Every structure is written in C-alpha cells, then in structure tokens.
Amino acid sequence: QVQLIESGGGLAQAGESLRLSCAASGRTFSNYDMGWFRQAPGKEREFVASITWSASSTNYADSVKGRFTISRDNAKNGLYLQMNSLKPEDTAVYYCHAHRNLTKTTISVWGQGTLVTVSS
C-alpha cells in the first residue's frame, strides 16, 4: 500500500501559478489511479482532477478545467498538479488520493494535505 505526502502549497496572488507535488512511497504506485481533491473552509471535500494509472486518461472538475493540469511520473512515484490563473476561490487544503480496485476490495489512500491560499 502506498503512502502519500503532498508539497508545494503556499500563498499566491490571483492570476499566479503554483505546482503541487505528491510523493508516493512503495513500489506499486504505477498500479494506482490518482487524483487531487480539495476542501475549502466550511465546505465539503470536492474532486479536482484525476489521472489513470497509465496516464492515458485525465478528468477535471468544471471549475478548474483549462487552468489546472494533472500529471504523473511513475518512474519517480510522483503526482503533480499545475495550477495556473489561480483564483481566490481555489483557496483550500489540497489532498492527494490513490485508488485501486482489487478483486474483493478497494484500496483508497489519502495524503495529509497541503494548504493553498490565493489572495485577490
């Protein structure tokens, strides 16, 4: 089972860019579909973007489509989220998520989160 550690959060002004990284431990990272979620203060956690284990397919929330790009490097056990044209409403704790369906169970792993704050 993988363990996930996010980094790259911080303070940005509206219109600027940030790049989040998620470092995964373990030798089976390439078996997992991966995603980014976020949780703003007082709100529920929401989907941001996802990428399949082979990087053959990506998916984005409408609110970030065209501004954010998810990518992965299986050789480096890394997941990334390039965030451009940031808006104040992007302020949230961003979580890395690993997901894998097995025959009789599902594996779901979360990172501890990294805070992104966007000022207007």
Side-chain angles (χ1 to χ4, degrees), residues 93-106:
V93 177
Y94 284 71
Y95 297 91
C96 176
H97 179 249
H99 178 268
R100 183 181 178 189
N101 288 323
L102 301 176
T103 303
K104 295 184 178 180
T105 188
T106 296

Side-chain angles (χ1 to χ4, degrees), residues 33-52:
D33 295 330
M34 300 294 298
W36 288 98
F37 290 73
R38 67 186 182 186
Q39 186 167 17
K43 296 187 177 182
E44 294 186 353
R45 191 172 299 188
E46 65 175 6
F47 168 79
V48 175
S50 65
I51 187 167
T52 55

Side-chain angles (χ1 to χ4, degrees), residues 33-84:
D33 295 330
M34 300 294 298
W36 288 98
F37 290 73
R38 67 186 182 186
Q39 186 167 17
K43 296 187 177 182
E44 294 186 353
R45 191 172 299 188
E46 65 175 6
F47 168 79
V48 175
S50 65
I51 187 167
T52 55
W53 65 272
S54 63
S56 61
S57 179
T58 58
N59 192 29
Y60 297 92
D62 288 342
S63 59
V64 307
K65 203 170 292 185
R67 299 188 297 122
F68 290 10
T69 302
I70 189 171
S71 62
R72 67 189 296 164
D73 186 336
N74 286 343
K76 296 182 178 180
N77 280 12
L79 176 73
Y80 311 99
L81 185 68
Q82 178 66 43
M83 304 186 296
N84 298 330

